[in-house]
Amino acid sequence: MTPLLDALFLQAGHNAALVAIGAGLLGYASGATGTFLFLRKRALLSDAAAHATLPGVALAFIVMVALGGDGRNLAGLLLGSAITAAIGLVTVQWIVAHTRLTEDAAIGAVLGVFFGVGVVLLTVIQTMSSGRQAGLEDFLLGSTAGMLRQDALVIAAGGALALALTWALRRPMTLVSFDADFATAAGYRVSRIDLMMMLAALVVTVIGLKVVGLVLIVALLIIPPVAARFWTESVGRMIWIAGAIGGISGYAGAAVSASAPNLPTGPIIVLMAAGVFVASLLFAPVRGVAAAFIRQRRFKARVHHRQGLLAIARQEPIRETFTLRLLQRENLIRADGVPTEAGRAAAAKVSRDERRWDIARRIHQDAGLTGRYDGLTPIEDVFTADEIQEFDRRIGPPVAVEG
Amino acid sequence: MGAEFVQFSLTPILIGILASVACALPGNFLILRRQALIGDAISHVVLPGIVVAFLLSGVVAAMPMLLGAAASAIVAVVLIELVKRVGQVEPGAAMGVVFTTLFAAGVLLLEQSDTSSVHLDVEHALMGNLESLIWLRAGGWGSLFDPVALATLPPELGRMALACAVMIALTLVFWRWLKIATFDEGFAEALGIPAAPLGFGLVIASALAAVAAFEAVGSIIVIAMFICPPAAARLMTSNLERQVLWSVVFATLSAVAGYVMAGYGPLWLGGSDSVSAAGMIAAVSGVILGLACLFGPHRQRVGAARSGGVG
């Protein structure tokens, strides 16, 4: 554990600390930025952008070498990747707007073709500078081994830019995500806001190439927002939660990766985020699987409880084992199936509730209130005491239930 | 077009054509069902499947790898459905979550296991090695009738031919069902066609085609061929029969032209080495799609304004 703790507390050397901070910042920016792509149901657009960076990286290398420079200058490579990724995104937009192909087909076509062109250019580079190892393959899966201080600064600056863009435009972006037609009617230029959304994702994609590579940056744009969605119903909060999930995954993933050999940074970060996603899916309140299961169990218990008491009120024997167990646990019924005093009282109360509901549904005009009858809701939750008194007057005095 | 062509180019071109057609056929239906990206997802998750198969069997052989890849494709499809249903996540994001996670797991497994001694790496998986599927024993066109030489054909050719034949057969057998269920699922169910299993079967068949093609030609061709030829064909006609035929023509054209341009293009331009055939085939299919987007007779939505309004 010690190497891991060292890495987590930035004590594992200069490079490991840089990578951890850089990956944390990247994760935060990508999680927050990806939120609107996800809400707009365009999460996989980031996949097209990411794959479309490859030809840009290769072209930038070729151009820089042709101009007599060092082809491996990171800023130059990132600039190239940003240009082709932007072309890729514009192409997707154009295909969707001008042909009858759907967005998923456009994304897939751009992704495959741009990546194919990138691979062709990579083989060109292999032949033109056979003596020099270009190392551009690192952009496929990321490589943090030689990360420099200026690389971390590039990530920080780009991340801050994407984050600022997302935060400044969160209101129009929310509007466009949930109701693009309304946004148009309210005077927003939807295409321009979409463009801004994609620009933010593009910036994150480009700065993520160095750390996690083009295949896995997609994961950092998609997984944190999907996980964050389980925890909140508010867009404003979702941005920060997604950012936090991405940031923690990035930081912890980089630390874990630095703590032992053969743990590549990109995949570890993605698997961290995936772990958070699975935990959210299972255990998030309200939307999580566990919460839904408990809700369902409670509902079932309520139905059985109520139906059991109604059976007692009608003096019918209860044979269903789950109901019997439920009522016995609350001491409403004895082990031999005979209701206790408390059971008879509860039964009388439930039976009265049913009768009140019968009257209420017969005489009350407001369907919005009487429509809330589901055989479970106590009538006190819906009608006022005065109204209930009126129902009681029509029913007559209470009647004791015989055991 | 002599002995050298038969030795070095005939089999890669044939394998390229078979792989392209095998992927393009199911791609037609995936595109119409808006599931075009399933090919992309499958080609990513194939990696962990292959790595696990290698770790379990200990050998780099075709059969365990195919099985592993097919199993991982099925696992991925099931996981995507699970995330979609249980988590109520929209399909695109569910796909993105699952395939990136599985891919990351595959890369991690690859790094952790001692596979450095064998030829198993991510780049190879992505880019394929179409160029290396040569037929060294061939002495010329006459070798096609020489059983001794035929026995040394690259085994990928036979497997790819089988996969392609299976895809053609499946398309023909289920043609009517696929056609009805793709355009009107409700009507299909009213007719008694099991639409949901059919949809699942389509995805599994696509996965098998992708896995078979992946082993021979890498994932770039798989992704591009699932989408580009059928998408271009869709812009050429509104008739499904003709669309499928067009897509086969486009896929074949991409494979042949892409391979030839990759192998001989640099020489014509004065270079000395060839470039990646897989990448070039994908690029050519993109050019074809681009031309179809600009000039295809049925490129616009029915009812869309000439000025290109969004319908």
Side-chain angles (χ1 to χ4, degrees), chain B residues 149-184:
Chain B
L150 278 179
T152 62
L153 273 172
E156 284 87 354
L157 181 62
R159 280 201 291 272
M160 211 51 245
L162 180 67
C164 190
V166 169
M167 292 317 293
I168 293 173
L170 284 176
T171 311
L172 290 177
V173 169
F174 291 104
W175 178 263
R176 216 178 73 85
W177 281 17
L178 277 171
K179 186 175 178 178
I180 297 172
T182 297
F183 288 105
D184 193 339

PDB file of all heavy atoms in Angstrom, chain B residues 149-184:
ATOM      1  N   ALA B 149      -0.568 -25.911 -54.079  1.00  0.00           N
ATOM      2  CA  ALA B 149      -0.455 -24.487 -53.797  1.00  0.00           C
ATOM      3  C   ALA B 149      -1.706 -23.975 -53.080  1.00  0.00           C
ATOM      4  O   ALA B 149      -1.624 -23.162 -52.162  1.00  0.00           O
ATOM      5  CB  ALA B 149      -0.230 -23.711 -55.091  1.00  0.00           C
ATOM      6  N   LEU B 150      -2.848 -24.490 -53.497  1.00  0.00           N
ATOM      7  CA  LEU B 150      -4.106 -24.028 -52.875  1.00  0.00           C
ATOM      8  C   LEU B 150      -4.121 -24.329 -51.380  1.00  0.00           C
ATOM      9  O   LEU B 150      -4.695 -23.591 -50.598  1.00  0.00           O
ATOM     10  CB  LEU B 150      -5.303 -24.700 -53.555  1.00  0.00           C
ATOM     11  CG  LEU B 150      -5.774 -24.065 -54.861  1.00  0.00           C
ATOM     12  CD1 LEU B 150      -6.941 -24.852 -55.436  1.00  0.00           C
ATOM     13  CD2 LEU B 150      -6.158 -22.616 -54.656  1.00  0.00           C
ATOM     14  N   ALA B 151      -3.451 -25.439 -51.000  1.00  0.00           N
ATOM     15  CA  ALA B 151      -3.434 -25.813 -49.589  1.00  0.00           C
ATOM     16  C   ALA B 151      -2.689 -24.786 -48.750  1.00  0.00           C
ATOM     17  O   ALA B 151      -2.877 -24.714 -47.536  1.00  0.00           O
ATOM     18  CB  ALA B 151      -2.804 -27.186 -49.432  1.00  0.00           C
ATOM     19  N   THR B 152      -1.838 -23.987 -49.386  1.00  0.00           N
ATOM     20  CA  THR B 152      -1.077 -23.003 -48.613  1.00  0.00           C
ATOM     21  C   THR B 152      -1.713 -21.615 -48.634  1.00  0.00           C
ATOM     22  O   THR B 152      -1.098 -20.643 -48.235  1.00  0.00           O
ATOM     23  CB  THR B 152       0.353 -22.885 -49.170  1.00  0.00           C
ATOM     24  OG1 THR B 152       0.270 -22.414 -50.519  1.00  0.00           O
ATOM     25  CG2 THR B 152       1.071 -24.208 -49.139  1.00  0.00           C
ATOM     26  N   LEU B 153      -2.931 -21.530 -49.129  1.00  0.00           N
ATOM     27  CA  LEU B 153      -3.642 -20.247 -49.071  1.00  0.00           C
ATOM     28  C   LEU B 153      -3.725 -19.802 -47.617  1.00  0.00           C
ATOM     29  O   LEU B 153      -3.849 -20.623 -46.709  1.00  0.00           O
ATOM     30  CB  LEU B 153      -5.067 -20.407 -49.614  1.00  0.00           C
ATOM     31  CG  LEU B 153      -5.288 -20.248 -51.112  1.00  0.00           C
ATOM     32  CD1 LEU B 153      -6.710 -20.625 -51.451  1.00  0.00           C
ATOM     33  CD2 LEU B 153      -5.004 -18.835 -51.547  1.00  0.00           C
ATOM     34  N   PRO B 154      -3.655 -18.499 -47.360  1.00  0.00           N
ATOM     35  CA  PRO B 154      -3.793 -18.058 -45.968  1.00  0.00           C
ATOM     36  C   PRO B 154      -5.141 -18.518 -45.402  1.00  0.00           C
ATOM     37  O   PRO B 154      -6.165 -18.393 -46.077  1.00  0.00           O
ATOM     38  CB  PRO B 154      -3.712 -16.540 -46.056  1.00  0.00           C
ATOM     39  CG  PRO B 154      -3.697 -16.195 -47.495  1.00  0.00           C
ATOM     40  CD  PRO B 154      -3.383 -17.417 -48.272  1.00  0.00           C
ATOM     41  N   PRO B 155      -5.144 -19.097 -44.197  1.00  0.00           N
ATOM     42  CA  PRO B 155      -6.395 -19.625 -43.659  1.00  0.00           C
ATOM     43  C   PRO B 155      -7.456 -18.546 -43.468  1.00  0.00           C
ATOM     44  O   PRO B 155      -8.646 -18.837 -43.453  1.00  0.00           O
ATOM     45  CB  PRO B 155      -5.969 -20.222 -42.311  1.00  0.00           C
ATOM     46  CG  PRO B 155      -4.660 -19.577 -41.987  1.00  0.00           C
ATOM     47  CD  PRO B 155      -4.001 -19.282 -43.292  1.00  0.00           C
ATOM     48  N   GLU B 156      -7.014 -17.286 -43.345  1.00  0.00           N
ATOM     49  CA  GLU B 156      -7.994 -16.197 -43.185  1.00  0.00           C
ATOM     50  C   GLU B 156      -8.947 -16.143 -44.368  1.00  0.00           C
ATOM     51  O   GLU B 156     -10.109 -15.775 -44.220  1.00  0.00           O
ATOM     52  CB  GLU B 156      -7.284 -14.850 -43.040  1.00  0.00           C
ATOM     53  CG  GLU B 156      -6.657 -14.613 -41.688  1.00  0.00           C
ATOM     54  CD  GLU B 156      -5.241 -15.175 -41.605  1.00  0.00           C
ATOM     55  OE1 GLU B 156      -4.828 -15.847 -42.569  1.00  0.00           O
ATOM     56  OE2 GLU B 156      -4.578 -14.950 -40.585  1.00  0.00           O
ATOM     57  N   LEU B 157      -8.424 -16.511 -45.557  1.00  0.00           N
ATOM     58  CA  LEU B 157      -9.265 -16.419 -46.747  1.00  0.00           C
ATOM     59  C   LEU B 157     -10.461 -17.359 -46.626  1.00  0.00           C
ATOM     60  O   LEU B 157     -11.607 -16.959 -46.853  1.00  0.00           O
ATOM     61  CB  LEU B 157      -8.442 -16.758 -47.996  1.00  0.00           C
ATOM     62  CG  LEU B 157      -9.212 -16.676 -49.324  1.00  0.00           C
ATOM     63  CD1 LEU B 157      -9.698 -15.266 -49.569  1.00  0.00           C
ATOM     64  CD2 LEU B 157      -8.349 -17.137 -50.484  1.00  0.00           C
ATOM     65  N   GLY B 158     -10.181 -18.603 -46.206  1.00  0.00           N
ATOM     66  CA  GLY B 158     -11.267 -19.563 -46.063  1.00  0.00           C
ATOM     67  C   GLY B 158     -12.269 -19.112 -45.006  1.00  0.00           C
ATOM     68  O   GLY B 158     -13.483 -19.154 -45.225  1.00  0.00           O
ATOM     69  N   ARG B 159     -11.747 -18.656 -43.870  1.00  0.00           N
ATOM     70  CA  ARG B 159     -12.655 -18.231 -42.787  1.00  0.00           C
ATOM     71  C   ARG B 159     -13.494 -17.037 -43.210  1.00  0.00           C
ATOM     72  O   ARG B 159     -14.689 -16.961 -42.941  1.00  0.00           O
ATOM     73  CB  ARG B 159     -11.831 -17.885 -41.549  1.00  0.00           C
ATOM     74  CG  ARG B 159     -11.401 -19.100 -40.764  1.00  0.00           C
ATOM     75  CD  ARG B 159     -11.052 -18.742 -39.343  1.00  0.00           C
ATOM     76  NE  ARG B 159      -9.844 -17.943 -39.265  1.00  0.00           N
ATOM     77  CZ  ARG B 159      -8.609 -18.463 -39.188  1.00  0.00           C
ATOM     78  NH1 ARG B 159      -8.451 -19.761 -39.193  1.00  0.00           N
ATOM     79  NH2 ARG B 159      -7.563 -17.682 -39.099  1.00  0.00           N
ATOM     80  N   MET B 160     -12.848 -16.095 -43.909  1.00  0.00           N
ATOM     81  CA  MET B 160     -13.568 -14.891 -44.320  1.00  0.00           C
ATOM     82  C   MET B 160     -14.630 -15.251 -45.353  1.00  0.00           C
ATOM     83  O   MET B 160     -15.735 -14.705 -45.328  1.00  0.00           O
ATOM     84  CB  MET B 160     -12.556 -13.901 -44.898  1.00  0.00           C
ATOM     85  CG  MET B 160     -12.915 -12.450 -44.698  1.00  0.00           C
ATOM     86  SD  MET B 160     -13.309 -12.038 -43.009  1.00  0.00           S
ATOM     87  CE  MET B 160     -15.014 -11.605 -43.186  1.00  0.00           C
ATOM     88  N   ALA B 161     -14.278 -16.196 -46.261  1.00  0.00           N
ATOM     89  CA  ALA B 161     -15.254 -16.621 -47.273  1.00  0.00           C
ATOM     90  C   ALA B 161     -16.449 -17.270 -46.589  1.00  0.00           C
ATOM     91  O   ALA B 161     -17.607 -17.001 -46.942  1.00  0.00           O
ATOM     92  CB  ALA B 161     -14.600 -17.593 -48.252  1.00  0.00           C
ATOM     93  N   LEU B 162     -16.160 -18.082 -45.572  1.00  0.00           N
ATOM     94  CA  LEU B 162     -17.242 -18.729 -44.834  1.00  0.00           C
ATOM     95  C   LEU B 162     -18.122 -17.678 -44.156  1.00  0.00           C
ATOM     96  O   LEU B 162     -19.357 -17.716 -44.264  1.00  0.00           O
ATOM     97  CB  LEU B 162     -16.642 -19.689 -43.797  1.00  0.00           C
ATOM     98  CG  LEU B 162     -17.657 -20.437 -42.950  1.00  0.00           C
ATOM     99  CD1 LEU B 162     -18.433 -21.414 -43.817  1.00  0.00           C
ATOM    100  CD2 LEU B 162     -16.963 -21.179 -41.807  1.00  0.00           C
ATOM    101  N   ALA B 163     -17.468 -16.720 -43.486  1.00  0.00           N
ATOM    102  CA  ALA B 163     -18.240 -15.681 -42.780  1.00  0.00           C
ATOM    103  C   ALA B 163     -19.099 -14.904 -43.758  1.00  0.00           C
ATOM    104  O   ALA B 163     -20.280 -14.625 -43.499  1.00  0.00           O
ATOM    105  CB  ALA B 163     -17.294 -14.742 -42.036  1.00  0.00           C
ATOM    106  N   CYS B 164     -18.521 -14.563 -44.901  1.00  0.00           N
ATOM    107  CA  CYS B 164     -19.260 -13.790 -45.896  1.00  0.00           C
ATOM    108  C   CYS B 164     -20.438 -14.607 -46.422  1.00  0.00           C
ATOM    109  O   CYS B 164     -21.549 -14.087 -46.566  1.00  0.00           O
ATOM    110  CB  CYS B 164     -18.318 -13.395 -47.025  1.00  0.00           C
ATOM    111  SG  CYS B 164     -19.028 -12.214 -48.155  1.00  0.00           S
ATOM    112  N   ALA B 165     -20.194 -15.913 -46.687  1.00  0.00           N
ATOM    113  CA  ALA B 165     -21.274 -16.766 -47.192  1.00  0.00           C
ATOM    114  C   ALA B 165     -22.391 -16.855 -46.152  1.00  0.00           C
ATOM    115  O   ALA B 165     -23.586 -16.793 -46.493  1.00  0.00           O
ATOM    116  CB  ALA B 165     -20.726 -18.154 -47.504  1.00  0.00           C
ATOM    117  N   VAL B 166     -22.021 -16.981 -44.866  1.00  0.00           N
ATOM    118  CA  VAL B 166     -23.041 -17.045 -43.818  1.00  0.00           C
ATOM    119  C   VAL B 166     -23.855 -15.759 -43.780  1.00  0.00           C
ATOM    120  O   VAL B 166     -25.088 -15.788 -43.679  1.00  0.00           O
ATOM    121  CB  VAL B 166     -22.375 -17.309 -42.440  1.00  0.00           C
ATOM    122  CG1 VAL B 166     -23.371 -17.103 -41.315  1.00  0.00           C
ATOM    123  CG2 VAL B 166     -21.799 -18.715 -42.389  1.00  0.00           C
ATOM    124  N   MET B 167     -23.181 -14.620 -43.895  1.00  0.00           N
ATOM    125  CA  MET B 167     -23.908 -13.349 -43.860  1.00  0.00           C
ATOM    126  C   MET B 167     -24.866 -13.239 -45.049  1.00  0.00           C
ATOM    127  O   MET B 167     -26.006 -12.798 -44.905  1.00  0.00           O
ATOM    128  CB  MET B 167     -22.936 -12.161 -43.873  1.00  0.00           C
ATOM    129  CG  MET B 167     -22.092 -11.997 -42.637  1.00  0.00           C
ATOM    130  SD  MET B 167     -22.970 -12.220 -41.087  1.00  0.00           S
ATOM    131  CE  MET B 167     -24.056 -10.812 -41.125  1.00  0.00           C
ATOM    132  N   ILE B 168     -24.391 -13.670 -46.243  1.00  0.00           N
ATOM    133  CA  ILE B 168     -25.265 -13.609 -47.423  1.00  0.00           C
ATOM    134  C   ILE B 168     -26.472 -14.529 -47.213  1.00  0.00           C
ATOM    135  O   ILE B 168     -27.623 -14.138 -47.454  1.00  0.00           O
ATOM    136  CB  ILE B 168     -24.484 -14.018 -48.689  1.00  0.00           C
ATOM    137  CG1 ILE B 168     -23.420 -12.965 -48.999  1.00  0.00           C
ATOM    138  CG2 ILE B 168     -25.427 -14.170 -49.872  1.00  0.00           C
ATOM    139  CD1 ILE B 168     -22.478 -13.346 -50.129  1.00  0.00           C
ATOM    140  N   ALA B 169     -26.188 -15.743 -46.712  1.00  0.00           N
ATOM    141  CA  ALA B 169     -27.281 -16.688 -46.514  1.00  0.00           C
ATOM    142  C   ALA B 169     -28.294 -16.149 -45.506  1.00  0.00           C
ATOM    143  O   ALA B 169     -29.508 -16.202 -45.731  1.00  0.00           O
ATOM    144  CB  ALA B 169     -26.708 -18.023 -46.032  1.00  0.00           C
ATOM    145  N   LEU B 170     -27.789 -15.604 -44.393  1.00  0.00           N
ATOM    146  CA  LEU B 170     -28.700 -15.070 -43.373  1.00  0.00           C
ATOM    147  C   LEU B 170     -29.542 -13.940 -43.949  1.00  0.00           C
ATOM    148  O   LEU B 170     -30.752 -13.850 -43.696  1.00  0.00           O
ATOM    149  CB  LEU B 170     -27.896 -14.560 -42.170  1.00  0.00           C
ATOM    150  CG  LEU B 170     -27.342 -15.624 -41.229  1.00  0.00           C
ATOM    151  CD1 LEU B 170     -26.494 -14.973 -40.147  1.00  0.00           C
ATOM    152  CD2 LEU B 170     -28.479 -16.412 -40.594  1.00  0.00           C
ATOM    153  N   THR B 171     -28.891 -13.067 -44.727  1.00  0.00           N
ATOM    154  CA  THR B 171     -29.632 -11.950 -45.309  1.00  0.00           C
ATOM    155  C   THR B 171     -30.750 -12.459 -46.214  1.00  0.00           C
ATOM    156  O   THR B 171     -31.878 -11.951 -46.168  1.00  0.00           O
ATOM    157  CB  THR B 171     -28.678 -11.054 -46.125  1.00  0.00           C
ATOM    158  OG1 THR B 171     -27.539 -10.773 -45.317  1.00  0.00           O
ATOM    159  CG2 THR B 171     -29.350  -9.760 -46.502  1.00  0.00           C
ATOM    160  N   LEU B 172     -30.436 -13.481 -47.029  1.00  0.00           N
ATOM    161  CA  LEU B 172     -31.445 -13.999 -47.948  1.00  0.00           C
ATOM    162  C   LEU B 172     -32.568 -14.710 -47.197  1.00  0.00           C
ATOM    163  O   LEU B 172     -33.746 -14.502 -47.467  1.00  0.00           O
ATOM    164  CB  LEU B 172     -30.791 -14.954 -48.954  1.00  0.00           C
ATOM    165  CG  LEU B 172     -29.870 -14.280 -49.971  1.00  0.00           C
ATOM    166  CD1 LEU B 172     -29.217 -15.318 -50.871  1.00  0.00           C
ATOM    167  CD2 LEU B 172     -30.641 -13.263 -50.799  1.00  0.00           C
ATOM    168  N   VAL B 173     -32.184 -15.562 -46.216  1.00  0.00           N
ATOM    169  CA  VAL B 173     -33.199 -16.355 -45.511  1.00  0.00           C
ATOM    170  C   VAL B 173     -34.154 -15.452 -44.742  1.00  0.00           C
ATOM    171  O   VAL B 173     -35.371 -15.632 -44.767  1.00  0.00           O
ATOM    172  CB  VAL B 173     -32.511 -17.355 -44.553  1.00  0.00           C
ATOM    173  CG1 VAL B 173     -33.536 -17.991 -43.627  1.00  0.00           C
ATOM    174  CG2 VAL B 173     -31.790 -18.428 -45.354  1.00  0.00           C
ATOM    175  N   PHE B 174     -33.597 -14.454 -44.049  1.00  0.00           N
ATOM    176  CA  PHE B 174     -34.442 -13.600 -43.201  1.00  0.00           C
ATOM    177  C   PHE B 174     -34.869 -12.321 -43.914  1.00  0.00           C
ATOM    178  O   PHE B 174     -35.304 -11.373 -43.269  1.00  0.00           O
ATOM    179  CB  PHE B 174     -33.710 -13.258 -41.905  1.00  0.00           C
ATOM    180  CG  PHE B 174     -33.539 -14.446 -41.002  1.00  0.00           C
ATOM    181  CD1 PHE B 174     -32.317 -15.077 -40.880  1.00  0.00           C
ATOM    182  CD2 PHE B 174     -34.622 -14.940 -40.289  1.00  0.00           C
ATOM    183  CE1 PHE B 174     -32.172 -16.172 -40.060  1.00  0.00           C
ATOM    184  CE2 PHE B 174     -34.478 -16.037 -39.464  1.00  0.00           C
ATOM    185  CZ  PHE B 174     -33.250 -16.658 -39.343  1.00  0.00           C
ATOM    186  N   TRP B 175     -34.699 -12.285 -45.226  1.00  0.00           N
ATOM    187  CA  TRP B 175     -34.926 -11.042 -45.959  1.00  0.00           C
ATOM    188  C   TRP B 175     -36.278 -10.397 -45.643  1.00  0.00           C
ATOM    189  O   TRP B 175     -36.362  -9.238 -45.255  1.00  0.00           O
ATOM    190  CB  TRP B 175     -34.803 -11.299 -47.461  1.00  0.00           C
ATOM    191  CG  TRP B 175     -35.087 -10.065 -48.235  1.00  0.00           C
ATOM    192  CD1 TRP B 175     -36.242  -9.711 -48.817  1.00  0.00           C
ATOM    193  CD2 TRP B 175     -34.176  -8.984 -48.430  1.00  0.00           C
ATOM    194  NE1 TRP B 175     -36.142  -8.484 -49.383  1.00  0.00           N
ATOM    195  CE2 TRP B 175     -34.880  -8.002 -49.159  1.00  0.00           C
ATOM    196  CE3 TRP B 175     -32.859  -8.734 -48.060  1.00  0.00           C
ATOM    197  CZ2 TRP B 175     -34.296  -6.795 -49.531  1.00  0.00           C
ATOM    198  CZ3 TRP B 175     -32.276  -7.533 -48.430  1.00  0.00           C
ATOM    199  CH2 TRP B 175     -32.991  -6.590 -49.153  1.00  0.00           C
ATOM    200  N   ARG B 176     -37.349 -11.184 -45.804  1.00  0.00           N
ATOM    201  CA  ARG B 176     -38.685 -10.611 -45.660  1.00  0.00           C
ATOM    202  C   ARG B 176     -38.905 -10.127 -44.231  1.00  0.00           C
ATOM    203  O   ARG B 176     -39.411  -9.023 -43.999  1.00  0.00           O
ATOM    204  CB  ARG B 176     -39.734 -11.656 -46.037  1.00  0.00           C
ATOM    205  CG  ARG B 176     -40.953 -11.086 -46.756  1.00  0.00           C
ATOM    206  CD  ARG B 176     -41.892 -12.204 -47.123  1.00  0.00           C
ATOM    207  NE  ARG B 176     -42.580 -12.727 -45.945  1.00  0.00           N
ATOM    208  CZ  ARG B 176     -43.698 -12.194 -45.453  1.00  0.00           C
ATOM    209  NH1 ARG B 176     -44.235 -11.151 -46.025  1.00  0.00           N
ATOM    210  NH2 ARG B 176     -44.269 -12.708 -44.393  1.00  0.00           N
ATOM    211  N   TRP B 177     -38.511 -10.965 -43.276  1.00  0.00           N
ATOM    212  CA  TRP B 177     -38.648 -10.585 -41.868  1.00  0.00           C
ATOM    213  C   TRP B 177     -37.876  -9.310 -41.554  1.00  0.00           C
ATOM    214  O   TRP B 177     -38.393  -8.382 -40.940  1.00  0.00           O
ATOM    215  CB  TRP B 177     -38.125 -11.710 -40.971  1.00  0.00           C
ATOM    216  CG  TRP B 177     -39.077 -12.837 -40.806  1.00  0.00           C
ATOM    217  CD1 TRP B 177     -40.159 -13.119 -41.586  1.00  0.00           C
ATOM    218  CD2 TRP B 177     -39.033 -13.849 -39.792  1.00  0.00           C
ATOM    219  NE1 TRP B 177     -40.778 -14.232 -41.122  1.00  0.00           N
ATOM    220  CE2 TRP B 177     -40.117 -14.703 -40.032  1.00  0.00           C
ATOM    221  CE3 TRP B 177     -38.171 -14.101 -38.724  1.00  0.00           C
ATOM    222  CZ2 TRP B 177     -40.377 -15.794 -39.220  1.00  0.00           C
ATOM    223  CZ3 TRP B 177     -38.427 -15.195 -37.917  1.00  0.00           C
ATOM    224  CH2 TRP B 177     -39.516 -16.033 -38.169  1.00  0.00           C
ATOM    225  N   LEU B 178     -36.607  -9.294 -41.999  1.00  0.00           N
ATOM    226  CA  LEU B 178     -35.752  -8.138 -41.709  1.00  0.00           C
ATOM    227  C   LEU B 178     -36.355  -6.874 -42.301  1.00  0.00           C
ATOM    228  O   LEU B 178     -36.404  -5.829 -41.657  1.00  0.00           O
ATOM    229  CB  LEU B 178     -34.362  -8.358 -42.292  1.00  0.00           C
ATOM    230  CG  LEU B 178     -33.392  -9.179 -41.452  1.00  0.00           C
ATOM    231  CD1 LEU B 178     -32.147  -9.482 -42.253  1.00  0.00           C
ATOM    232  CD2 LEU B 178     -33.031  -8.430 -40.177  1.00  0.00           C
ATOM    233  N   LYS B 179     -36.828  -7.004 -43.534  1.00  0.00           N
ATOM    234  CA  LYS B 179     -37.356  -5.834 -44.222  1.00  0.00           C
ATOM    235  C   LYS B 179     -38.557  -5.268 -43.466  1.00  0.00           C
ATOM    236  O   LYS B 179     -38.632  -4.073 -43.186  1.00  0.00           O
ATOM    237  CB  LYS B 179     -37.758  -6.243 -45.640  1.00  0.00           C
ATOM    238  CG  LYS B 179     -38.197  -5.085 -46.503  1.00  0.00           C
ATOM    239  CD  LYS B 179     -38.454  -5.566 -47.917  1.00  0.00           C
ATOM    240  CE  LYS B 179     -38.944  -4.423 -48.778  1.00  0.00           C
ATOM    241  NZ  LYS B 179     -39.152  -4.844 -50.158  1.00  0.00           N
ATOM    242  N   ILE B 180     -39.484  -6.141 -43.095  1.00  0.00           N
ATOM    243  CA  ILE B 180     -40.690  -5.663 -42.414  1.00  0.00           C
ATOM    244  C   ILE B 180     -40.356  -5.136 -41.033  1.00  0.00           C
ATOM    245  O   ILE B 180     -40.768  -4.041 -40.650  1.00  0.00           O
ATOM    246  CB  ILE B 180     -41.727  -6.799 -42.328  1.00  0.00           C
ATOM    247  CG1 ILE B 180     -42.146  -7.223 -43.730  1.00  0.00           C
ATOM    248  CG2 ILE B 180     -42.937  -6.352 -41.525  1.00  0.00           C
ATOM    249  CD1 ILE B 180     -43.015  -8.449 -43.769  1.00  0.00           C
ATOM    250  N   ALA B 181     -39.550  -5.900 -40.271  1.00  0.00           N
ATOM    251  CA  ALA B 181     -39.264  -5.505 -38.896  1.00  0.00           C
ATOM    252  C   ALA B 181     -38.440  -4.227 -38.835  1.00  0.00           C
ATOM    253  O   ALA B 181     -38.549  -3.445 -37.886  1.00  0.00           O
ATOM    254  CB  ALA B 181     -38.540  -6.632 -38.163  1.00  0.00           C
ATOM    255  N   THR B 182     -37.596  -4.001 -39.848  1.00  0.00           N
ATOM    256  CA  THR B 182     -36.763  -2.805 -39.834  1.00  0.00           C
ATOM    257  C   THR B 182     -37.600  -1.545 -40.021  1.00  0.00           C
ATOM    258  O   THR B 182     -37.362  -0.523 -39.386  1.00  0.00           O
ATOM    259  CB  THR B 182     -35.696  -2.894 -40.941  1.00  0.00           C
ATOM    260  OG1 THR B 182     -34.863  -4.003 -40.660  1.00  0.00           O
ATOM    261  CG2 THR B 182     -34.855  -1.640 -40.998  1.00  0.00           C
ATOM    262  N   PHE B 183     -38.596  -1.645 -40.891  1.00  0.00           N
ATOM    263  CA  PHE B 183     -39.364  -0.435 -41.187  1.00  0.00           C
ATOM    264  C   PHE B 183     -40.563  -0.260 -40.272  1.00  0.00           C
ATOM    265  O   PHE B 183     -40.985   0.857 -40.000  1.00  0.00           O
ATOM    266  CB  PHE B 183     -39.813  -0.443 -42.650  1.00  0.00           C
ATOM    267  CG  PHE B 183     -38.684  -0.214 -43.596  1.00  0.00           C
ATOM    268  CD1 PHE B 183     -38.150  -1.231 -44.343  1.00  0.00           C
ATOM    269  CD2 PHE B 183     -38.127   1.048 -43.696  1.00  0.00           C
ATOM    270  CE1 PHE B 183     -37.094  -1.011 -45.197  1.00  0.00           C
ATOM    271  CE2 PHE B 183     -37.067   1.278 -44.545  1.00  0.00           C
ATOM    272  CZ  PHE B 183     -36.546   0.246 -45.292  1.00  0.00           C
ATOM    273  N   ASP B 184     -41.158  -1.351 -39.789  1.00  0.00           N
ATOM    274  CA  ASP B 184     -42.358  -1.212 -38.967  1.00  0.00           C
ATOM    275  C   ASP B 184     -42.426  -2.378 -37.985  1.00  0.00           C
ATOM    276  O   ASP B 184     -42.985  -3.429 -38.284  1.00  0.00           O
ATOM    277  CB  ASP B 184     -43.599  -1.176 -39.853  1.00  0.00           C
ATOM    278  CG  ASP B 184     -44.817  -0.725 -39.075  1.00  0.00           C
ATOM    279  OD1 ASP B 184     -44.786  -0.838 -37.828  1.00  0.00           O
ATOM    280  OD2 ASP B 184     -45.774  -0.256 -39.703  1.00  0.00           O
TER     281      ASP B 184
END
